[in-house]
Amino acid sequence: MQARVKEVAEKLTSRAIKVATAESCTGGGLAYRMTDRAGSSEWFERGFVTYSNAAKQEMLGVKLATLEAKGAVSPEVAREMAEGARQFSAAQISVAITGIAGPSGGTPDKPVGMVCFAWASSDFETYLKTEYLLGSRREIRRQSIIIALDGLLEILNK
């Protein structure tokens, strides 16, 4: 994972842009991994840990109507989280993660392991992705962080 963070850091630094994170099910794990790297203040702007629906609304501007209609674990909420992270920070790019890490909390429509991601920038339309991950709570959270980093790399390589 550190190799991915290093690559993200190099790409962001070379473009003189910063990233913000908006996390729910990973509880700040992505921000931790990024800021564990020395010099991260050059490219990491801030992280939002918005575990509750109220935090998503208050800190990121996620609409109550979206939460009520789609649920906290949905591509629509991930989009609003990523776009809110950009709006309420000085970052040029953001990534959001919302999901059900388990071991409980899943439903037939939204099983444990369902994780929604969004990447936002003023340079492209917000990109959404939903994954259905397997494993323990810890494994689902770890996989989610890797997917978020891989999405950043994919975008930064374009």
Side-chain angles (χ1 to χ4, degrees):
M1 189 173 320
Q2 289 305 343
R4 285 178 173 91
V5 172
K6 179 181 182 212
E7 192 175 349
V8 166
E10 290 169 351
K11 302 262 183 212
L12 291 167
T13 302
S14 71
R15 295 183 184 180
I17 61 175
K18 292 191 176 195
V19 65
T21 61
E23 301 179 69
S24 187
C25 68
T26 48
L30 175 59
Y32 171 80
R33 292 289 187 174
M34 291 176 140
T35 59
D36 198 36
R37 181 172 179 75
S40 58
S41 61
E42 291 182 38
W43 51 271
F44 185 86
E45 208 282 324
R46 73 181 69 181
F48 298 88
V49 179
T50 56
Y51 213 70
S52 71
N53 286 351
K56 289 174 181 64
Q57 292 173 75
E58 293 165 13
M59 296 174 69
L60 298 171
V62 173
K63 296 178 190 83
L64 177 60
T66 308
L67 288 162
E68 289 177 343
K70 302 297 181 176
V73 179
S74 64
E76 294 84 359
V77 167
R79 174 191 301 277
E80 291 184 20
M81 288 173 66
E83 291 173 355
R86 278 211 48 254
Q87 179 182 348
F88 297 110
S89 74
Q92 293 76 33
I93 190 169
S94 64
V95 56
I97 307 168
T98 183
I100 305 167
S104 61
T107 67
D109 290 339
K110 294 182 180 185
V112 169
M114 179 181 173
V115 183
C116 300
F117 302 85
W119 295 265
S121 169
S122 58
D123 294 336
F124 56 84
E125 186 174 334
T126 302
Y127 175 67
L128 307 174
K129 184 176 193 173
T130 298
E131 293 283 345
Y132 295 87
L133 307 173
L134 300 175
S136 68
R137 178 178 180 82
R138 183 177 183 170
E139 291 164 342
I140 289 168
R141 289 165 55 118
R142 178 175 166 74
Q143 291 172 67
S144 296
I145 292 166
I146 291 169
I147 291 165
L149 290 168
D150 286 348
L152 282 171
L153 287 172
E154 184 178 330
I155 289 162
L156 293 167
N157 283 329
K158 289 183 181 180

